[in-house]
Amino acid sequence: LAVAGKPMLEHLIERAKLEGFNHFVLAIHYLGHMIESHFGSGESLGVQIDYLREVSPLGTAGALGLLNPRPTEPFVVTNGDVLTDIRYGELLDFHTRHAAAATMAVRLHEWQHPYGVVQTRGVEIVGFEEKPVARAQINAGVYVLDPAALDYVEVDTPCDMPTLFERLQAHSRRTVAYPMHEPWLDVGRPEDLAMAQVGTE
């Protein structure tokens, strides 16, 4: 997927670079050789790019088990299929202020039930709600982790980020939600991919 004529990963890197980030680590597996060939060391973008080469898919958190050396400061993690204007620096500051082991960016998602909802008690109808709107906080696919969070990632073992957060919670490590309000698309979802492509034509 291209954004404004550029590969999506390049768009993500350039946005973060504008906020002062200059070292990026890309976890690659499927078509990883093409990604590595395109970006190389990052010199053409004025940044440093290193790679985590997954032999088999490990998931977002599982791939972090390949980090060597480990980061010594909190670091930002983002899914490669998320298109957003989130301020990574503000997210990092929020994480630090709340002394968290892990921070997850969340976004309010609303959807409308397509039908009128009938409320019942047994066979008795006790109420109606015409096409109600439901609201929930959803995982936006952008995170900050403290280096100590990597103690809960097993090397070469698949692990997604919600599972890592659950492990941290099970060990009484603080996990917090960062409420984001910036535009956001998960282009891993067909409907959002179509929307992103329309927006960049």
Side-chain angles (χ1 to χ4, degrees):
L1 173 66
V3 178
K6 298 178 182 177
M8 186 165 165
L9 282 174
E10 187 170 331
H11 176 77
L12 293 173
I13 289 169
E14 289 191 341
R15 281 207 68 259
K17 181 185 172 185
L18 289 173
E19 293 191 53
F21 292 83
N22 55 33
H23 186 193
F24 300 84
V25 180
L26 305 182
I28 55 175
H29 174 59
Y30 177 65
L31 299 180
H33 64 285
M34 294 177 63
I35 294 171
E36 194 166 353
S37 175
H38 177 81
F39 289 107
S41 66
E43 185 177 359
S44 64
L45 295 175
V47 299
Q48 176 185 342
I49 298 179
D50 295 314
Y51 298 90
L52 303 177
R53 299 174 184 87
E54 300 175 68
V55 176
S56 59
L58 295 174
T60 304
L64 299 177
L66 301 174
L67 283 169
N68 186 17
R70 283 187 176 189
T72 57
E73 300 290 338
F75 58 98
V76 176
V77 179
T78 182
N79 293 351
D81 57 0
V82 168
L83 186 59
T84 177
D85 290 336
I86 191 171
R87 297 288 189 146
Y88 299 113
E90 292 179 8
L91 173 62
L92 194 57
D93 289 343
F94 179 91
H95 170 89
T96 302
R97 284 198 314 273
H98 289 274
T103 298
M104 177 186 292
V106 299
R107 182 173 170 79
L108 182 65
H109 180 68
E110 299 182 344
W111 68 98
Q112 186 167 36
H113 200 294
Y115 306 105
V117 173
V118 181
Q119 299 160 346
T120 61
R121 186 181 301 116
V123 297
E124 302 295 324
I125 295 175
V126 296
F128 299 93
E129 196 171 1
E130 186 61 29
K131 298 182 180 179
V133 175
R135 296 174 177 83
Q137 296 284 359
I138 62 168
N139 178 358
V142 186
Y143 317 88
V144 176
L145 296 180
D146 189 80
L150 297 177
D151 292 342
Y152 302 91
V153 176
E154 299 174 21
V155 177
D156 289 329
T157 302
C159 181
D160 58 27
M161 290 299 277
T163 298
L164 175 57
F165 273 69
E166 289 171 349
R167 288 177 184 171
L168 291 166
Q169 292 163 359
H171 287 85
S172 301
R173 302 300 305 273
R174 191 173 196 206
T175 60
V176 298
Y178 172 81
M180 62 170 290
H181 308 284
E182 296 86 353
W184 176 88
L185 285 174
D186 175 357
V187 297
R189 297 182 346 128
E191 56 268 42
D192 283 349
L193 173 58
M195 189 182 303
Q197 289 173 327
V198 168
T200 57
E201 288 176 353

